[in-house]
């Protein structure tokens, strides 16, 4: 195993405006095989400037890796303005120790990301595979598509320990997601595949749904009026009311399923 | 700034307007023009490489309201073409609806130096000109939409052809436009009533037919020495069986005498108008019928509007067509009614080689190019972005030049191509001279721009030159495509703007506009009716309508005198 520790320098976070750092170039698959000097020279965007990783982060490397799967990146310091952590990553592990900014795990294809705090909007956006664990809350558009696209998350697994924002999993077409807290409005908007499980409370989930399933274990604050009650179903010994919809999309397209306790 | 004197040495030159077909020749440039000789030039070694005049695109949607609406409604398209700014270039975005900067750079990289914006709603002329100012490098012009206009239809109805000519002259002047654009005549107005119009249907309320509108505008156009003929998007675009309408439209203007030595009608994106069958099930290619007509007649020219497979954004003033397209795809769409003048619609579309309909469409565009015998009657376009983005031109060029490439591509398409299209049985291959004709020579002539220094390399012409990094003997389709996508050099008005496939300078382009010089008495009579329209219906006043000179910082005027 190899552990690469990247600690954001305090100086990067000082000043009047907090200019974001974008770190999609710092994934295990891209950093695998690099010496410490090479690592420090990897370019990252800081606002509209390209900077060396070593100028923005304190870098330390321990151990060796035979493949990208054996590389673990630990990110430390104040990460609230660090965007695109693990974006597009294919293998290995990233552990972010703190709250992270937008697009964490976006376009991720493989490997594992653990966020030991909250994640801002667009985490897991258009995720294709791998595992994303957010121990705190996640913002809006978690695992959704980006503006205008017709596919959101298509694969992989996501777990959120806390609450999530609006429009999570919009245009979701595959994969699985577990929300341990509450979900704000419009979870699973335009969803066509995959599975969302919400342990907490939620309202107006599943609008324009044409496939996939949402399992609601918490309290339904407001139900979409365009779903049809089908039958009572039992999953793992628990009884659910099963609904079909969204009939706002037309009779033929209403192939989404809601399980409500 | 032009680079003073330039000498392009030993290139293999294709300059069809001057009859130069692949001759080893030097090209001399001074102060932005082609000259006989130079004394102390900077030398560009073009040994063994293909040299052509700068490309002239006859029909492309690059600027204005609907292009910008396309950008706004398709952020996902913007993502596809993102390129960070450099010390020379500004930020680029977009694939089918690139931003203005990307539009200029990408055309220039393909060796193009003039592009015609093919549909300018008169009321949105300022927006169109503003975007054309923002498009670097390219010279440009725009065709105002004049056919679904209330003034036009009323004059056609009353038969006041002189007053119609006065109105046509006025609106081209007011919009700083280039010529007469006709899009689904009558049909776009009918769409405001929830309907569409076939060629001989009566337009709701106005009680004229599309056929009468086309003929009337052709006659009005020829009352002036206009550089270009009427430019027509015929009725029933994209409908199975529409090839009859297309042929009937050609016949309409057969008797009209052109005011200059050119066609009397250019019909555009003919691929969309060459359909047989009665529905999408028995849909088939009728490119042979259309090409046959063009071969036998000399009054009409066409451009192909060839399909580029993949995702694109369709946009046209043909509102009802966009609505039927939306009904097929169920994707997002928008449309707009432009007061008394025209309308528009936009929806994204995916052309797939797995779809039988798209496969036949894909074949038709190339069939047209291969079946029309005289390349001086046909132009290469993709009706950017309707049939595909302009950066697909090199793909089409490589297809037209290589039967092998077409055969290989046909194997990947829906098998319907072997039954309901002719493409697999056509052996013709374009040579470089013919490619130069359909991308510069013909287009410059059809637009009348060869008289204004475009599309050729004769002494006195604009020093717009494309040097492609390929030998004239090259037969490998992949290498041909690569060479036509990124030039070795593009020279615009004597300045090197692209070198080794990279943009190295971004001078502003010029906007070419036409001033039809109408008799004052007729104009005054027409203005009485027009001012009444402004008072009663327009959301702007008459005095605030015309585009001011400030919108054309680099103008080039072509005067079109009225014929006696």
């Amino acid at each position: 195993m190899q552990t690469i520790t990247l600690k954001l320098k305090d100086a990067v976070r000082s000043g009047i405006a907090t200019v974001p750092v974008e770190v999609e170039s710092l994934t295990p698959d891209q950093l695998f095989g690099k010496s410490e000097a090479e690592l420090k020279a990897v370019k990252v965007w800081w606002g509209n400037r390209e900077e060396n990783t070593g100028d923005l982060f304190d870098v330390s490397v321990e151990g060796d890796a035979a493949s990208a799967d054996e590389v673990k990146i630990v990110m430390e310091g104040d990460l609230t303005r660090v965007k695109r952590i693990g974006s597009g990553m294919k293998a290995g592990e990233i552990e972010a120790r703190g709250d992270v900014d937008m697009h964490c795990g976006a376009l991720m294809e493989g490997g594992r990301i653990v966020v030991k705090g909250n994640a801002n909007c667009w985490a897991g956006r258009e995720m294709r595979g791998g595992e994303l664990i957010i121990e705190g809350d996640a913002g809006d558009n978690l695992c959704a598509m980006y503006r205008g696209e017709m596919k959101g998350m298509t694969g992989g697994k996501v777990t959120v320990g806390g609450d999530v924002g609006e429009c999570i999993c919009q245009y979701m077409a595959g994969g699985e997601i577990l929300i341990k807290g509450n979900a704000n409005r419009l979870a699973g908007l335009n969803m066509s595949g995959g599975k969302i499980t919400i342990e907490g409370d939620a309202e107006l989930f599943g609008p324009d749904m044409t496939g996939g399933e949402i399992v609601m274990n918490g309290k339904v604050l407001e139900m979409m009026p365009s779903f049809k009650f089908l039958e009572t179903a039992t999953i793992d010994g628990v009884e659910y009311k099963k609904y079909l919809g969204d009939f706002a999309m037309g009779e033929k397209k209403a192939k989404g399923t809601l399980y409500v306790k | 700034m032009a680079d003073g004197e330039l000498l392009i040495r030993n290139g293999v030159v294709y300059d069809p307007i001057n009859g130069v077909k692949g001759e080893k020749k030097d090209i001399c440039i001074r102060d932005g023009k082609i000259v006989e000789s130079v004394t102390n030039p900077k030398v560009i070694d073009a040994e063994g490489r293909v040299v052509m005049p700068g490309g002239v695109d006859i029909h492309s949607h690059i600027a204005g309201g609907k292009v910008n609406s396309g950008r706004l409604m398709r952020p996902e398209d913007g993502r596809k073409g993102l390129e960070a700014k450099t010390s020379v270039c500004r930020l680029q975005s977009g694939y089918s609806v690139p931003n203005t900067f990307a539009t200029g750079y990408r055309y220039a990289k393909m060796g193009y130096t003039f592009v015609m914006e093919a549909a300018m709603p008169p009321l949105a002329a300022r927006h169109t000109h503003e975007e054309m100012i923002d498009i670097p490098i390219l010279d440009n012009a725009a065709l105002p939409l004049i056919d679904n206009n209330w003034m036009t239809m009323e004059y056609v109805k009353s038969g006041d052809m002189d007053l119609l000519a006065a109105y046509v002259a006025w609106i081209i002047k007011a919009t700083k436009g280039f010529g007469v654009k006709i899009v689904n005549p009558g049909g776009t107005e009918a769409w405001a009533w929830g309907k569409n119009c076939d060629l001989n249907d009566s337009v709701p309320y106005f009680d004229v037919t599309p056929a009468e509108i086309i003929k009337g505008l052709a006659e009005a156009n020829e009352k002036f020495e206009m550089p270009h003929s009427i430019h027509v998007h015929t009725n029933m675009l994209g409908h199975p069986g529409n090839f009859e309408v297309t042929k009937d439209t050609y016949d309409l203007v057969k008797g009209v005498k052109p005011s200059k030595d050119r066609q009397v009608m250019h019909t555009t994106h003919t691929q969309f108008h060459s359909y047989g069958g009665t529905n999408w099930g028995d849909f088939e290619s009728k490119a042979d019928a259309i090409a046959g007509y063009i071969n036998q007649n000399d009054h009409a020219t066409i451009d192909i509007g060839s399909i580029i497979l993949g995702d694109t954004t369709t946009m046209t003033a043909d509102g009802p067509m966009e609505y039927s397209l939306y009904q097929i795809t169920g994707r997002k769409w928008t449309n707009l009614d432009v007061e008394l003048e025209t309308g528009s619609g936009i929806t994204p579309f995916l052309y797939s080689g797995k779809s039988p309909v798209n496969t036949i469409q894909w074949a038709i565009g190339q069939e047209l190019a291969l079946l029309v015998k005289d390349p001086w009657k046909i132009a290469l376009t993709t009706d950017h972005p309707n049939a595909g983005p302009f950066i697909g031109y090199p793909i089409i060029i490589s297809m037209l030049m290589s039967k092998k490439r077409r055969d290989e591509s046909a194997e990947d398409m829906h098998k319907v191509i072997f039954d309901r299209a002719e493409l697999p049985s056509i052996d013709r291959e374009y040579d470089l001279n013919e490619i130069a004709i359909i991308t510069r020579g013909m287009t410059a002539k059809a637009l009348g721009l060869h008289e204004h220094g475009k599309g050729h390399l004769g002494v006195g012409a604009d020093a717009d030159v494309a040097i492609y990094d390929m030998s004239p003997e090259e037969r490998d389709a992949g290498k041909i495509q690569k060479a036509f996508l990124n030039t070795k050099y593009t020279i615009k008005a004597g300045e090197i703007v692209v070198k080794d496939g990279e943009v190295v300078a971004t001078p502003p382009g010029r906007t070419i506009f036409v001033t039809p010089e109408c008799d004052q008495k007729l104009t005054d009579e027409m203005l009485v009716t027009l001012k009444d329209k402004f008072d009663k219906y327009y959301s702007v006043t008459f005095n605030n309508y015309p585009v001011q000179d400030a919108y054309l910082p680099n103008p080039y005027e072509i005067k079109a005198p009225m014929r006696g």
Side-chain angles (χ1 to χ4, degrees), chain B residues 28 56 143 213 288 349 403 465 510 551-552:
Chain B
C28 304
V56 174
L143 295 169
I213 298 173
D288 53 342
F349 195 82
K403 161 87 172 146
V465 189
R510 290 177 308 170
Y551 284 79
L552 286 81

Side-chain angles (χ1 to χ4, degrees), chain A residues 14-253:
Chain A
S14 64
I16 300 163
T18 50
V19 176
V21 182
E22 306 192 30
V23 295
E24 70 271 31
S25 55
L26 305 179
T27 59
D29 43 287
Q30 293 179 90
L31 299 188
F32 164 67
K34 284 193 167 36
S35 68
E36 192 169 322
E38 286 169 336
L39 241 159
K40 284 179 173 168
V42 170
K43 299 284 181 200
V44 290
W45 285 98
W46 187 27
N48 62 4
R49 292 211 306 260
E50 263 192 314
E51 303 279 353
N52 293 322
T53 298
D55 294 337
L56 303 186
F57 293 89
D58 294 321
V59 179
S60 66
V61 183
E62 271 176 55
D64 291 304
S67 72
D69 289 323
E70 292 182 15
V71 176
K72 179 175 177 179
I73 300 173
V74 177
M75 304 198 72
E76 293 180 335
D78 179 358
L79 304 173
T80 51
R81 288 299 270 159
V82 179
K83 291 181 175 179
R84 299 178 197 274
I85 292 174
S87 176
M89 85 182 250
K90 295 175 174 68
E93 186 175 346
I94 296 179
E95 183 178 306
R97 296 188 177 158
D99 298 347
V100 300
D101 207 350
M102 293 192 275
H103 304 290
C104 175
L107 295 160
M108 181 177 180
E109 292 173 24
R112 189 165 184 260
I113 301 175
V114 180
V115 179
K116 304 239 162 221
N118 304 323
N120 209 325
C121 304
W122 302 110
R125 161 177 67 78
E126 296 166 327
M127 191 168 160
R128 306 282 171 250
E131 187 177 7
L132 171 62
I133 297 164
I134 298 164
E135 295 189 353
D137 299 337
D140 299 332
N141 307 97
L142 171 78
C143 299
M145 84 303 161
Y146 208 41
R147 298 291 187 216
E149 300 285 355
M150 293 173 78
K151 279 223 169 102
M153 179 177 182
T154 54
K157 199 173 169 226
V158 176
T159 307
V160 179
D163 301 339
V164 295
E166 293 182 0
C167 298
I168 65 157
C169 306
Q170 185 172 7
Y171 278 108
M172 179 172 180
E176 257 186 74
I177 172 161
L178 170 66
I179 313 293
K180 293 187 176 166
N182 306 323
N184 208 331
R185 275 169 295 194
L186 309 182
L189 177 61
N190 308 99
M191 180 177 178
S192 65
K195 182 181 173 184
I196 306 174
T197 306
I198 302 171
E199 298 293 340
D201 306 342
E203 60 185 313
L204 296 175
F205 41 88
D208 289 4
M209 210 173 157
T210 56
E213 60 182 74
I214 301 178
V215 179
M216 256 307 292
N217 290 325
K219 196 164 130 201
V220 178
L221 301 175
E222 191 179 350
M223 180 77 181
M224 281 297 298
S226 45
F227 279 73
K228 225 180 239 177
F229 174 72
L230 270 193
E231 61 196 357
T232 308
T234 309
I235 306 173
D236 298 333
V238 183
E239 207 169 84
Y240 288 90
K241 285 181 280 220
K242 185 179 175 186
Y243 291 83
L244 198 66
D246 180 346
F247 282 88
M249 298 300 282
E251 196 95 18
K252 275 188 198 157
K253 285 187 174 172

Side-chain angles (χ1 to χ4, degrees), chain B residues 40 317 473:
Chain B
N40 185 26
E473 276 81 44

Side-chain angles (χ1 to χ4, degrees), chain B residues 3-317:
Chain B
D3 293 329
E5 288 189 339
L6 275 179
L7 173 64
I8 302 167
R9 186 174 279 163
N10 291 334
V12 183
V13 178
Y14 293 84
D15 179 12
I17 285 180
N18 294 306
V20 180
K21 297 179 187 177
E23 290 168 30
K24 197 165 190 178
K25 234 178 137 220
D26 292 348
I27 306 228
C28 304
I29 293 168
R30 187 186 310 117
D31 299 333
K33 299 281 179 193
I34 308 283
V35 292
E36 288 282 0
S37 60
V38 279
T39 46
N40 185 26
K42 178 176 169 181
V43 177
I44 292 175
D45 179 18
E47 177 77 44
R49 292 196 174 93
V50 171
V51 177
M52 293 185 184
V56 174
D57 195 337
I58 197 167
H59 186 107
S60 180
H61 301 279
I62 52 167
K66 69 186 169 330
V67 179
N68 209 42
S69 297
R71 293 183 192 116
L72 287 169
M73 89 187 244
R74 299 210 66 198
E76 75 277 19
D77 188 82
R79 261 176 110 185
K80 276 190 219 163
L82 282 179
E83 283 178 61
K85 70 171 183 178
T86 68
S87 57
V88 180
C89 295
R90 297 184 63 174
L91 178 125
Q92 300 178 57
S93 73
Y95 169 70
S96 65
V97 275
N99 67 357
T100 51
F101 315 122
T103 302
Y105 306 149
R106 291 175 195 171
Y107 260 116
K109 283 187 186 182
M110 299 196 309
Y112 276 75
T113 52
F114 175 88
V115 180
M116 175 64 75
E117 161 51 47
M120 169 165 71
L123 200 56
R126 278 189 186 78
H127 185 164
T128 310
H129 283 289
E130 279 170 337
E131 285 201 23
M132 293 200 303
I133 293 169
D134 239 16
I135 293 173
I137 304 171
L138 303 177
D139 287 344
N140 49 48
L143 295 169
L145 295 149
I146 308 183
D147 55 323
N148 284 287
N149 190 302
W150 295 9
M151 287 288 287
T152 299
M153 289 188 288
E154 286 178 10
Y155 282 139
V156 169
K157 162 93 174 146
S158 64
D160 292 323
M161 288 304 150
D162 287 338
L163 291 175
L164 176 62
Y167 178 66
V168 166
W170 182 84
I171 196 131
I172 291 172
K173 275 196 284 192
T175 57
K176 293 278 193 287
F178 187 83
V180 177
K181 178 69 190 297
I182 299 174
V183 172
N184 188 4
T188 301
E189 176 59 29
W191 177 234
W193 307 70
K195 299 182 175 123
N196 197 0
C197 266
D198 204 339
L199 191 58
N200 293 304
D201 290 348
S202 178
V203 181
Y205 179 76
F206 290 94
D207 193 26
V208 289
T209 66
E212 290 163 347
I213 298 173
I214 294 168
K215 191 139 186 284
L217 284 172
E219 283 166 2
N221 191 70
E222 302 309 339
K223 283 192 196 292
F224 306 95
E225 289 174 26
M226 296 291 286
H228 190 35
S229 64
I230 54 168
H231 192 110
V232 187
H233 155 149
T234 55
N235 296 77
M236 307 314 284
L237 181 148
H239 288 261
N242 64 8
F243 80 104
E244 296 280 8
V245 177
T246 311
K247 277 170 57 185
D248 291 347
T249 307
Y250 297 155
D251 266 341
L252 285 175
V253 295
K254 211 170 174 178
V256 179
K257 199 175 167 306
S259 60
K260 299 194 79 157
D261 179 21
R262 55 154 167 74
Q263 75 285 356
V264 286
M265 174 193 272
H266 178 80
T267 60
T268 188
H269 39 70
T270 310
Q271 173 270 127
F272 288 121
H273 306 272
S274 305
Y275 297 167
T278 55
N279 58 52
W280 294 119
D282 64 4
F283 179 71
E284 60 173 352
S285 166
K286 282 287 178 189
D288 53 342
I290 298 296
Y293 188 101
I294 296 297
N295 286 334
Q296 282 161 19
N297 294 279
D298 291 327
H299 67 283
T301 56
I302 62 175
D303 64 75
I304 56 178
S306 205
I307 299 283
I308 304 295
L309 295 176
D311 191 57
T312 194
T313 313
T314 69
M315 52 179 65
T316 158

